[in-house]
Amino acid sequence: EITDDEIPFDIPESWKWVRLSTIGITQTGNTPSKAHPEYFGSHIPFIGPGDIKDGNVNYDNQGLSEKGMAVGRITPANSILQVCIGGSIGKCALADRNVSFNQQINAISPLFVDSKYVFTVLDSYYFKKFMVDNAGGTATPIINRGVWDTIIIPLPPLREQKRIVAKLDELLPLCERLK
């Protein structure tokens, strides 16, 4: 249940406030033991916070072997990866392939919603500010998955999500050229 106190702003009547964990499968990554070099290889990319930059993923730094996949966390293509610890808390990217990722990253694999729309929301100033404001930790800010899962987002009907994404795809390149 989402209370009136939690709602940060009004949304159109056809939209709904939902918790992040209700629109997809969420997970926190993990790192296979370095004591087992056979877990590392080039079968699937292994993503850390440094591999996420400006909404993109660098898939070329590290990887897991087939054996490593058995102990790593795998998320499918079209999942959103978001850094949940440290100075880069909040930066995120939409993965275009299956990946494994470390424990400094949370992921959501959206179900029945547009992945690009969810990425846009997670990459927004509102969402990143919420993460920083609600991060625990003393020297290093961290938002655990339990808190991350409960963050609310505005969710329009699927057609509206697709229209929003299409409009952003049209306008953002124009904005970049103005810089």
Side-chain angles (χ1 to χ4, degrees):
E1 192 71 25
I2 296 172
T3 66
D4 289 342
D5 295 350
E6 293 178 277
I7 297 174
F9 51 85
D10 292 333
I11 55 176
E13 206 169 290
S14 63
W15 294 31
K16 184 174 182 172
W17 285 103
V18 297
R19 297 202 187 277
L20 191 59
S21 64
T22 66
I23 62 166
I25 299 167
T26 62
Q27 59 183 333
T28 298
N30 72 329
T31 300
S33 172
K34 302 277 186 183
H36 294 275
E38 68 272 16
Y39 290 161
F40 297 89
S42 59
H43 187 71
I44 189 169
F46 180 71
I47 307 302
D51 297 318
I52 298 173
K53 185 176 180 187
D54 299 327
N56 296 301
V57 179
N58 178 356
Y59 298 99
D60 298 326
N61 282 334
Q62 297 181 68
L64 297 183
S65 65
E66 287 188 57
K67 281 186 179 182
M69 284 181 59
V71 293
R73 300 255 166 76
I74 310 300
T75 196
N78 294 315
S79 295
I80 297 99
L81 305 173
Q82 188 158 45
V83 178
C84 292
I85 188 169
S88 57
I89 193 169
K91 70 178 181 172
C92 63
L94 182 64
D96 67 5
R97 62 193 80 173
N98 295 355
V99 298
S100 184
F101 52 103
N102 76 16
Q103 62 278 4
Q104 296 176 324
I105 297 172
N106 286 339
I108 181 165
S109 305
L111 302 170
F112 312 113
V113 295
D114 189 284
S115 291
K116 285 186 175 184
Y117 172 80
V118 176
F119 166 73
T120 299
V121 173
L122 297 185
D123 197 40
S124 70
Y125 173 79
Y126 154 76
F127 198 89
K128 289 178 181 178
K129 181 172 180 350
F130 183 93
M131 286 182 66
V132 170
D133 291 349
N134 289 278
T138 51
T140 304
I142 183 170
I143 188 157
N144 68 41
R145 197 177 106 218
V147 173
W148 191 72
D149 280 355
T150 65
I151 296 173
I152 61 172
I153 67 167
L155 187 67
L158 186 57
R159 280 191 177 148
E160 184 71 10
Q161 293 171 43
K162 292 185 181 300
R163 280 194 294 270
I164 290 168
V165 167
K167 187 55 80 173
L168 288 170
D169 286 346
E170 177 186 329
L171 294 176
L172 289 178
L174 297 173
C175 294
E176 284 300 313
R177 282 192 277 176
L178 292 174
K179 286 183 178 180

mmCIF file of all heavy atoms in Angstrom, residues 34-81:
data_model
loop_
_atom_site.group_PDB
_atom_site.id
_atom_site.type_symbol
_atom_site.label_atom_id
_atom_site.label_comp_id
_atom_site.label_asym_id
_atom_site.label_seq_id
_atom_site.Cartn_x
_atom_site.Cartn_y
_atom_site.Cartn_z
ATOM 1 N N LYS A 34 37.251 -15.036 -5.747
ATOM 2 C CA LYS A 34 38.496 -14.883 -6.519
ATOM 3 C C LYS A 34 39.434 -16.077 -6.277
ATOM 4 O O LYS A 34 40.386 -16.281 -7.018
ATOM 5 C CB LYS A 34 39.215 -13.591 -6.132
ATOM 6 C CG LYS A 34 38.375 -12.339 -6.346
ATOM 7 C CD LYS A 34 38.424 -11.875 -7.761
ATOM 8 C CE LYS A 34 37.693 -10.538 -7.877
ATOM 9 N NZ LYS A 34 37.617 -10.029 -9.184
ATOM 10 N N ALA A 35 39.141 -16.862 -5.238
ATOM 11 C CA ALA A 35 39.933 -18.059 -4.966
ATOM 12 C C ALA A 35 39.699 -19.132 -6.027
ATOM 13 O O ALA A 35 40.405 -20.135 -6.058
ATOM 14 C CB ALA A 35 39.588 -18.621 -3.579
ATOM 15 N N HIS A 36 38.710 -18.911 -6.887
ATOM 16 C CA HIS A 36 38.399 -19.858 -7.963
ATOM 17 C C HIS A 36 38.569 -19.161 -9.313
ATOM 18 O O HIS A 36 37.598 -18.678 -9.896
ATOM 19 C CB HIS A 36 36.963 -20.379 -7.815
ATOM 20 C CG HIS A 36 36.752 -21.204 -6.605
ATOM 21 N ND1 HIS A 36 37.025 -22.548 -6.563
ATOM 22 C CD2 HIS A 36 36.317 -20.861 -5.366
ATOM 23 C CE1 HIS A 36 36.755 -23.007 -5.358
ATOM 24 N NE2 HIS A 36 36.331 -22.007 -4.614
ATOM 25 N N PRO A 37 39.796 -19.121 -9.830
ATOM 26 C CA PRO A 37 40.020 -18.439 -11.113
ATOM 27 C C PRO A 37 39.213 -19.045 -12.262
ATOM 28 O O PRO A 37 38.952 -18.375 -13.260
ATOM 29 C CB PRO A 37 41.521 -18.564 -11.349
ATOM 30 C CG PRO A 37 42.036 -19.517 -10.340
ATOM 31 C CD PRO A 37 41.010 -19.664 -9.262
ATOM 32 N N GLU A 38 38.790 -20.292 -12.090
ATOM 33 C CA GLU A 38 38.008 -20.937 -13.150
ATOM 34 C C GLU A 38 36.618 -20.301 -13.310
ATOM 35 O O GLU A 38 35.928 -20.549 -14.289
ATOM 36 C CB GLU A 38 37.879 -22.448 -12.892
ATOM 37 C CG GLU A 38 37.030 -22.826 -11.695
ATOM 38 C CD GLU A 38 37.785 -22.891 -10.362
ATOM 39 O OE1 GLU A 38 38.914 -22.360 -10.270
ATOM 40 O OE2 GLU A 38 37.237 -23.465 -9.404
ATOM 41 N N TYR A 39 36.209 -19.457 -12.354
ATOM 42 C CA TYR A 39 34.925 -18.763 -12.457
ATOM 43 C C TYR A 39 34.984 -17.566 -13.408
ATOM 44 O O TYR A 39 33.957 -17.038 -13.800
ATOM 45 C CB TYR A 39 34.463 -18.258 -11.092
ATOM 46 C CG TYR A 39 34.042 -19.334 -10.121
ATOM 47 C CD1 TYR A 39 33.990 -19.059 -8.765
ATOM 48 C CD2 TYR A 39 33.690 -20.614 -10.542
ATOM 49 C CE1 TYR A 39 33.598 -20.027 -7.854
ATOM 50 C CE2 TYR A 39 33.310 -21.594 -9.638
ATOM 51 C CZ TYR A 39 33.259 -21.294 -8.297
ATOM 52 O OH TYR A 39 32.865 -22.245 -7.399
ATOM 53 N N PHE A 40 36.187 -17.154 -13.759
ATOM 54 C CA PHE A 40 36.331 -15.955 -14.579
ATOM 55 C C PHE A 40 36.772 -16.325 -15.985
ATOM 56 O O PHE A 40 37.500 -17.288 -16.193
ATOM 57 C CB PHE A 40 37.297 -14.981 -13.905
ATOM 58 C CG PHE A 40 36.765 -14.520 -12.573
ATOM 59 C CD1 PHE A 40 37.037 -15.233 -11.411
ATOM 60 C CD2 PHE A 40 35.939 -13.411 -12.504
ATOM 61 C CE1 PHE A 40 36.504 -14.845 -10.192
ATOM 62 C CE2 PHE A 40 35.401 -13.009 -11.281
ATOM 63 C CZ PHE A 40 35.680 -13.727 -10.125
ATOM 64 N N GLY A 41 36.264 -15.575 -16.953
ATOM 65 C CA GLY A 41 36.571 -15.864 -18.349
ATOM 66 C C GLY A 41 35.843 -14.886 -19.248
ATOM 67 O O GLY A 41 35.641 -13.732 -18.883
ATOM 68 N N SER A 42 35.386 -15.378 -20.377
ATOM 69 C CA SER A 42 34.757 -14.469 -21.337
ATOM 70 C C SER A 42 33.398 -14.960 -21.816
ATOM 71 O O SER A 42 32.898 -14.509 -22.847
ATOM 72 C CB SER A 42 35.689 -14.275 -22.536
ATOM 73 O OG SER A 42 35.952 -15.531 -23.148
ATOM 74 N N HIS A 43 32.777 -15.841 -21.063
ATOM 75 C CA HIS A 43 31.484 -16.386 -21.495
ATOM 76 C C HIS A 43 30.354 -15.364 -21.392
ATOM 77 O O HIS A 43 29.488 -15.298 -22.253
ATOM 78 C CB HIS A 43 31.143 -17.649 -20.694
ATOM 79 C CG HIS A 43 29.929 -18.340 -21.184
ATOM 80 N ND1 HIS A 43 29.890 -19.012 -22.378
ATOM 81 C CD2 HIS A 43 28.673 -18.432 -20.656
ATOM 82 C CE1 HIS A 43 28.682 -19.503 -22.571
ATOM 83 N NE2 HIS A 43 27.928 -19.161 -21.544
ATOM 84 N N ILE A 44 30.365 -14.556 -20.314
ATOM 85 C CA ILE A 44 29.337 -13.542 -20.111
ATOM 86 C C ILE A 44 29.990 -12.338 -19.428
ATOM 87 O O ILE A 44 30.832 -12.517 -18.549
ATOM 88 C CB ILE A 44 28.148 -14.094 -19.280
ATOM 89 C CG1 ILE A 44 26.978 -13.110 -19.265
ATOM 90 C CG2 ILE A 44 28.572 -14.457 -17.869
ATOM 91 C CD1 ILE A 44 25.692 -13.706 -18.693
ATOM 92 N N PRO A 45 29.639 -11.110 -19.809
ATOM 93 C CA PRO A 45 30.234 -9.937 -19.159
ATOM 94 C C PRO A 45 29.905 -9.885 -17.662
ATOM 95 O O PRO A 45 28.805 -10.246 -17.247
ATOM 96 C CB PRO A 45 29.594 -8.750 -19.891
ATOM 97 C CG PRO A 45 29.131 -9.298 -21.189
ATOM 98 C CD PRO A 45 28.755 -10.726 -20.918
ATOM 99 N N PHE A 46 30.885 -9.443 -16.880
ATOM 100 C CA PHE A 46 30.719 -9.243 -15.437
ATOM 101 C C PHE A 46 30.888 -7.745 -15.184
ATOM 102 O O PHE A 46 31.963 -7.193 -15.371
ATOM 103 C CB PHE A 46 31.755 -10.052 -14.652
ATOM 104 C CG PHE A 46 31.631 -9.897 -13.172
ATOM 105 C CD1 PHE A 46 30.562 -10.454 -12.488
ATOM 106 C CD2 PHE A 46 32.580 -9.189 -12.450
ATOM 107 C CE1 PHE A 46 30.444 -10.311 -11.109
ATOM 108 C CE2 PHE A 46 32.471 -9.035 -11.078
ATOM 109 C CZ PHE A 46 31.400 -9.599 -10.411
ATOM 110 N N ILE A 47 29.810 -7.095 -14.771
ATOM 111 C CA ILE A 47 29.745 -5.641 -14.702
ATOM 112 C C ILE A 47 29.962 -5.140 -13.274
ATOM 113 O O ILE A 47 29.365 -5.655 -12.333
ATOM 114 C CB ILE A 47 28.370 -5.143 -15.221
ATOM 115 C CG1 ILE A 47 28.057 -5.713 -16.613
ATOM 116 C CG2 ILE A 47 28.283 -3.616 -15.191
ATOM 117 C CD1 ILE A 47 29.071 -5.402 -17.671
ATOM 118 N N GLY A 48 30.810 -4.123 -13.152
ATOM 119 C CA GLY A 48 31.004 -3.402 -11.893
ATOM 120 C C GLY A 48 30.584 -1.957 -12.082
ATOM 121 O O GLY A 48 30.316 -1.513 -13.212
ATOM 122 N N PRO A 49 30.530 -1.166 -11.009
ATOM 123 C CA PRO A 49 30.110 0.238 -11.121
ATOM 124 C C PRO A 49 30.902 1.043 -12.148
ATOM 125 O O PRO A 49 30.334 1.890 -12.840
ATOM 126 C CB PRO A 49 30.324 0.790 -9.712
ATOM 127 C CG PRO A 49 30.170 -0.394 -8.827
ATOM 128 C CD PRO A 49 30.771 -1.536 -9.616
ATOM 129 N N GLY A 50 32.196 0.773 -12.284
ATOM 130 C CA GLY A 50 33.015 1.507 -13.242
ATOM 131 C C GLY A 50 32.668 1.219 -14.692
ATOM 132 O O GLY A 50 33.070 1.956 -15.589
ATOM 133 N N ASP A 51 31.916 0.148 -14.925
ATOM 134 C CA ASP A 51 31.519 -0.216 -16.285
ATOM 135 C C ASP A 51 30.241 0.490 -16.731
ATOM 136 O O ASP A 51 29.804 0.322 -17.867
ATOM 137 C CB ASP A 51 31.318 -1.736 -16.390
ATOM 138 C CG ASP A 51 32.594 -2.496 -16.126
ATOM 139 O OD1 ASP A 51 33.651 -2.057 -16.614
ATOM 140 O OD2 ASP A 51 32.531 -3.531 -15.425
ATOM 141 N N ILE A 52 29.628 1.254 -15.819
ATOM 142 C CA ILE A 52 28.410 1.991 -16.141
ATOM 143 C C ILE A 52 28.758 3.468 -16.212
ATOM 144 O O ILE A 52 29.237 4.049 -15.235
ATOM 145 C CB ILE A 52 27.319 1.742 -15.082
ATOM 146 C CG1 ILE A 52 26.948 0.261 -15.047
ATOM 147 C CG2 ILE A 52 26.100 2.620 -15.351
ATOM 148 C CD1 ILE A 52 26.003 -0.114 -13.919
ATOM 149 N N LYS A 53 28.535 4.061 -17.390
ATOM 150 C CA LYS A 53 28.872 5.476 -17.561
ATOM 151 C C LYS A 53 27.931 6.102 -18.582
ATOM 152 O O LYS A 53 27.759 5.558 -19.675
ATOM 153 C CB LYS A 53 30.319 5.634 -18.021
ATOM 154 C CG LYS A 53 30.768 7.073 -18.099
ATOM 155 C CD LYS A 53 32.231 7.195 -18.457
ATOM 156 C CE LYS A 53 32.586 8.670 -18.507
ATOM 157 N NZ LYS A 53 33.903 8.907 -18.993
ATOM 158 N N ASP A 54 27.357 7.226 -18.219
ATOM 159 C CA ASP A 54 26.476 7.993 -19.110
ATOM 160 C C ASP A 54 25.372 7.131 -19.715
ATOM 161 O O ASP A 54 25.046 7.244 -20.899
ATOM 162 C CB ASP A 54 27.284 8.657 -20.230
ATOM 163 C CG ASP A 54 28.315 9.637 -19.697
ATOM 164 O OD1 ASP A 54 28.048 10.278 -18.656
ATOM 165 O OD2 ASP A 54 29.392 9.757 -20.309
ATOM 166 N N GLY A 55 24.801 6.248 -18.909
ATOM 167 C CA GLY A 55 23.697 5.416 -19.373
ATOM 168 C C GLY A 55 24.100 4.243 -20.237
ATOM 169 O O GLY A 55 23.241 3.549 -20.773
ATOM 170 N N ASN A 56 25.404 4.007 -20.359
ATOM 171 C CA ASN A 56 25.904 2.911 -21.190
ATOM 172 C C ASN A 56 26.701 1.921 -20.352
ATOM 173 O O ASN A 56 27.210 2.265 -19.286
ATOM 174 C CB ASN A 56 26.799 3.463 -22.307
ATOM 175 C CG ASN A 56 26.034 4.349 -23.250
ATOM 176 O OD1 ASN A 56 25.067 3.932 -23.861
ATOM 177 N ND2 ASN A 56 26.446 5.604 -23.350
ATOM 178 N N VAL A 57 26.823 0.718 -20.874
ATOM 179 C CA VAL A 57 27.578 -0.342 -20.207
ATOM 180 C C VAL A 57 28.801 -0.685 -21.044
ATOM 181 O O VAL A 57 28.696 -0.890 -22.247
ATOM 182 C CB VAL A 57 26.721 -1.613 -20.026
ATOM 183 C CG1 VAL A 57 27.526 -2.722 -19.360
ATOM 184 C CG2 VAL A 57 25.461 -1.324 -19.231
ATOM 185 N N ASN A 58 29.969 -0.751 -20.391
ATOM 186 C CA ASN A 58 31.176 -1.269 -21.028
ATOM 187 C C ASN A 58 31.205 -2.769 -20.734
ATOM 188 O O ASN A 58 31.369 -3.180 -19.591
ATOM 189 C CB ASN A 58 32.416 -0.579 -20.461
ATOM 190 C CG ASN A 58 33.698 -1.124 -21.055
ATOM 191 O OD1 ASN A 58 33.686 -2.072 -21.843
ATOM 192 N ND2 ASN A 58 34.811 -0.535 -20.672
ATOM 193 N N TYR A 59 31.047 -3.563 -21.763
ATOM 194 C CA TYR A 59 30.964 -5.013 -21.596
ATOM 195 C C TYR A 59 32.322 -5.702 -21.697
ATOM 196 O O TYR A 59 32.403 -6.919 -21.585
ATOM 197 C CB TYR A 59 30.037 -5.599 -22.672
ATOM 198 C CG TYR A 59 28.623 -5.099 -22.589
ATOM 199 C CD1 TYR A 59 28.172 -4.083 -23.418
ATOM 200 C CD2 TYR A 59 27.732 -5.642 -21.671
ATOM 201 C CE1 TYR A 59 26.872 -3.613 -23.338
ATOM 202 C CE2 TYR A 59 26.423 -5.184 -21.585
ATOM 203 C CZ TYR A 59 26.006 -4.175 -22.417
ATOM 204 O OH TYR A 59 24.703 -3.715 -22.332
ATOM 205 N N ASP A 60 33.396 -4.946 -21.899
ATOM 206 C CA ASP A 60 34.684 -5.531 -22.254
ATOM 207 C C ASP A 60 35.686 -5.694 -21.117
ATOM 208 O O ASP A 60 36.768 -6.213 -21.348
ATOM 209 C CB ASP A 60 35.335 -4.688 -23.363
ATOM 210 C CG ASP A 60 34.495 -4.663 -24.626
ATOM 211 O OD1 ASP A 60 33.837 -5.679 -24.920
ATOM 212 O OD2 ASP A 60 34.478 -3.616 -25.300
ATOM 213 N N ASN A 61 35.393 -5.236 -19.901
ATOM 214 C CA ASN A 61 36.406 -5.277 -18.840
ATOM 215 C C ASN A 61 36.594 -6.652 -18.221
ATOM 216 O O ASN A 61 37.707 -7.149 -18.158
ATOM 217 C CB ASN A 61 36.095 -4.255 -17.752
ATOM 218 C CG ASN A 61 36.491 -2.860 -18.181
ATOM 219 O OD1 ASN A 61 37.371 -2.690 -19.013
ATOM 220 N ND2 ASN A 61 35.836 -1.872 -17.630
ATOM 221 N N GLN A 62 35.545 -7.243 -17.714
ATOM 222 C CA GLN A 62 35.655 -8.525 -17.031
ATOM 223 C C GLN A 62 34.570 -9.456 -17.538
ATOM 224 O O GLN A 62 33.585 -9.006 -18.115
ATOM 225 C CB GLN A 62 35.457 -8.366 -15.519
ATOM 226 C CG GLN A 62 36.485 -7.512 -14.818
ATOM 227 C CD GLN A 62 36.183 -7.468 -13.335
ATOM 228 O OE1 GLN A 62 36.307 -8.477 -12.640
ATOM 229 N NE2 GLN A 62 35.768 -6.312 -12.848
ATOM 230 N N GLY A 63 34.749 -10.727 -17.253
ATOM 231 C CA GLY A 63 33.729 -11.696 -17.630
ATOM 232 C C GLY A 63 33.767 -12.907 -16.735
ATOM 233 O O GLY A 63 34.715 -13.113 -15.969
ATOM 234 N N LEU A 64 32.718 -13.680 -16.824
ATOM 235 C CA LEU A 64 32.646 -14.947 -16.104
ATOM 236 C C LEU A 64 32.699 -16.096 -17.106
ATOM 237 O O LEU A 64 32.280 -15.956 -18.257
ATOM 238 C CB LEU A 64 31.346 -15.045 -15.307
ATOM 239 C CG LEU A 64 31.114 -14.031 -14.195
ATOM 240 C CD1 LEU A 64 29.798 -14.335 -13.478
ATOM 241 C CD2 LEU A 64 32.265 -13.996 -13.221
ATOM 242 N N SER A 65 33.203 -17.216 -16.643
ATOM 243 C CA SER A 65 33.208 -18.441 -17.440
ATOM 244 C C SER A 65 31.837 -19.115 -17.294
ATOM 245 O O SER A 65 30.985 -18.660 -16.527
ATOM 246 C CB SER A 65 34.295 -19.379 -16.924
ATOM 247 O OG SER A 65 33.964 -19.792 -15.600
ATOM 248 N N GLU A 66 31.653 -20.217 -17.988
ATOM 249 C CA GLU A 66 30.413 -20.973 -17.811
ATOM 250 C C GLU A 66 30.287 -21.460 -16.368
ATOM 251 O O GLU A 66 29.197 -21.429 -15.804
ATOM 252 C CB GLU A 66 30.348 -22.141 -18.788
ATOM 253 C CG GLU A 66 30.083 -21.687 -20.210
ATOM 254 C CD GLU A 66 29.831 -22.837 -21.166
ATOM 255 O OE1 GLU A 66 28.903 -23.622 -20.896
ATOM 256 O OE2 GLU A 66 30.550 -22.927 -22.162
ATOM 257 N N LYS A 67 31.400 -21.891 -15.760
ATOM 258 C CA LYS A 67 31.370 -22.301 -14.348
ATOM 259 C C LYS A 67 31.011 -21.116 -13.454
ATOM 260 O O LYS A 67 30.285 -21.263 -12.486
ATOM 261 C CB LYS A 67 32.725 -22.865 -13.912
ATOM 262 C CG LYS A 67 32.985 -24.266 -14.339
ATOM 263 C CD LYS A 67 34.279 -24.779 -13.744
ATOM 264 C CE LYS A 67 34.527 -26.205 -14.172
ATOM 265 N NZ LYS A 67 35.743 -26.753 -13.580
ATOM 266 N N GLY A 68 31.536 -19.954 -13.786
ATOM 267 C CA GLY A 68 31.253 -18.754 -13.001
ATOM 268 C C GLY A 68 29.797 -18.346 -13.047
ATOM 269 O O GLY A 68 29.267 -17.776 -12.087
ATOM 270 N N MET A 69 29.142 -18.637 -14.163
ATOM 271 C CA MET A 69 27.717 -18.307 -14.273
ATOM 272 C C MET A 69 26.891 -19.043 -13.224
ATOM 273 O O MET A 69 25.858 -18.542 -12.786
ATOM 274 C CB MET A 69 27.187 -18.655 -15.661
ATOM 275 C CG MET A 69 27.606 -17.672 -16.719
ATOM 276 S SD MET A 69 26.947 -18.087 -18.349
ATOM 277 C CE MET A 69 25.186 -18.061 -18.048
ATOM 278 N N ALA A 70 27.353 -20.221 -12.828
ATOM 279 C CA ALA A 70 26.605 -21.014 -11.843
ATOM 280 C C ALA A 70 26.624 -20.362 -10.464
ATOM 281 O O ALA A 70 25.733 -20.603 -9.652
ATOM 282 C CB ALA A 70 27.167 -22.429 -11.770
ATOM 283 N N VAL A 71 27.622 -19.521 -10.186
ATOM 284 C CA VAL A 71 27.709 -18.882 -8.862
ATOM 285 C C VAL A 71 27.483 -17.371 -8.933
ATOM 286 O O VAL A 71 27.343 -16.713 -7.907
ATOM 287 C CB VAL A 71 29.060 -19.188 -8.176
ATOM 288 C CG1 VAL A 71 29.163 -20.661 -7.833
ATOM 289 C CG2 VAL A 71 30.223 -18.735 -9.022
ATOM 290 N N GLY A 72 27.441 -16.823 -10.131
ATOM 291 C CA GLY A 72 27.186 -15.394 -10.296
ATOM 292 C C GLY A 72 25.694 -15.142 -10.442
ATOM 293 O O GLY A 72 24.896 -16.068 -10.566
ATOM 294 N N ARG A 73 25.320 -13.886 -10.381
ATOM 295 C CA ARG A 73 23.928 -13.499 -10.625
ATOM 296 C C ARG A 73 23.829 -13.009 -12.062
ATOM 297 O O ARG A 73 24.588 -12.151 -12.497
ATOM 298 C CB ARG A 73 23.489 -12.390 -9.683
ATOM 299 C CG ARG A 73 23.569 -12.761 -8.237
ATOM 300 C CD ARG A 73 22.199 -13.047 -7.642
ATOM 301 N NE ARG A 73 22.315 -13.707 -6.344
ATOM 302 C CZ ARG A 73 22.645 -13.125 -5.217
ATOM 303 N NH1 ARG A 73 22.902 -11.841 -5.187
ATOM 304 N NH2 ARG A 73 22.714 -13.816 -4.105
ATOM 305 N N ILE A 74 22.873 -13.551 -12.789
ATOM 306 C CA ILE A 74 22.691 -13.212 -14.192
ATOM 307 C C ILE A 74 21.364 -12.469 -14.329
ATOM 308 O O ILE A 74 20.366 -12.842 -13.724
ATOM 309 C CB ILE A 74 22.648 -14.484 -15.069
ATOM 310 C CG1 ILE A 74 23.838 -15.410 -14.766
ATOM 311 C CG2 ILE A 74 22.567 -14.124 -16.545
ATOM 312 C CD1 ILE A 74 25.199 -14.829 -14.997
ATOM 313 N N THR A 75 21.382 -11.425 -15.121
ATOM 314 C CA THR A 75 20.148 -10.713 -15.434
ATOM 315 C C THR A 75 20.027 -10.654 -16.949
ATOM 316 O O THR A 75 21.031 -10.560 -17.652
ATOM 317 C CB THR A 75 20.128 -9.310 -14.773
ATOM 318 O OG1 THR A 75 18.805 -8.794 -14.774
ATOM 319 C CG2 THR A 75 21.063 -8.337 -15.432
ATOM 320 N N PRO A 76 18.810 -10.757 -17.459
ATOM 321 C CA PRO A 76 18.650 -10.806 -18.910
ATOM 322 C C PRO A 76 18.780 -9.445 -19.590
ATOM 323 O O PRO A 76 18.704 -8.394 -18.941
ATOM 324 C CB PRO A 76 17.226 -11.360 -19.088
ATOM 325 C CG PRO A 76 16.507 -10.956 -17.857
ATOM 326 C CD PRO A 76 17.544 -10.965 -16.757
ATOM 327 N N ALA A 77 18.948 -9.478 -20.893
ATOM 328 C CA ALA A 77 18.956 -8.252 -21.702
ATOM 329 C C ALA A 77 17.692 -7.456 -21.400
ATOM 330 O O ALA A 77 16.663 -8.025 -21.034
ATOM 331 C CB ALA A 77 19.011 -8.616 -23.183
ATOM 332 N N ASN A 78 17.794 -6.138 -21.535
ATOM 333 C CA ASN A 78 16.715 -5.184 -21.259
ATOM 334 C C ASN A 78 16.440 -5.004 -19.776
ATOM 335 O O ASN A 78 15.393 -4.482 -19.397
ATOM 336 C CB ASN A 78 15.428 -5.532 -22.011
ATOM 337 C CG ASN A 78 15.613 -5.385 -23.494
ATOM 338 O OD1 ASN A 78 16.183 -4.401 -23.955
ATOM 339 N ND2 ASN A 78 15.183 -6.376 -24.251
ATOM 340 N N SER A 79 17.386 -5.421 -18.951
ATOM 341 C CA SER A 79 17.317 -5.135 -17.515
ATOM 342 C C SER A 79 18.052 -3.821 -17.261
ATOM 343 O O SER A 79 18.946 -3.444 -18.017
ATOM 344 C CB SER A 79 17.982 -6.246 -16.701
ATOM 345 O OG SER A 79 17.271 -7.453 -16.841
ATOM 346 N N ILE A 80 17.681 -3.158 -16.187
ATOM 347 C CA ILE A 80 18.346 -1.919 -15.811
ATOM 348 C C ILE A 80 19.276 -2.230 -14.651
ATOM 349 O O ILE A 80 18.869 -2.861 -13.674
ATOM 350 C CB ILE A 80 17.336 -0.828 -15.409
ATOM 351 C CG1 ILE A 80 16.437 -0.465 -16.597
ATOM 352 C CG2 ILE A 80 18.057 0.433 -14.948
ATOM 353 C CD1 ILE A 80 15.112 -1.112 -16.586
ATOM 354 N N LEU A 81 20.533 -1.812 -14.797
ATOM 355 C CA LEU A 81 21.536 -1.964 -13.747
ATOM 356 C C LEU A 81 21.699 -0.607 -13.073
ATOM 357 O O LEU A 81 21.828 0.402 -13.765
ATOM 358 C CB LEU A 81 22.872 -2.395 -14.341
ATOM 359 C CG LEU A 81 22.876 -3.653 -15.212
ATOM 360 C CD1 LEU A 81 24.234 -3.838 -15.864
ATOM 361 C CD2 LEU A 81 22.503 -4.866 -14.396
#
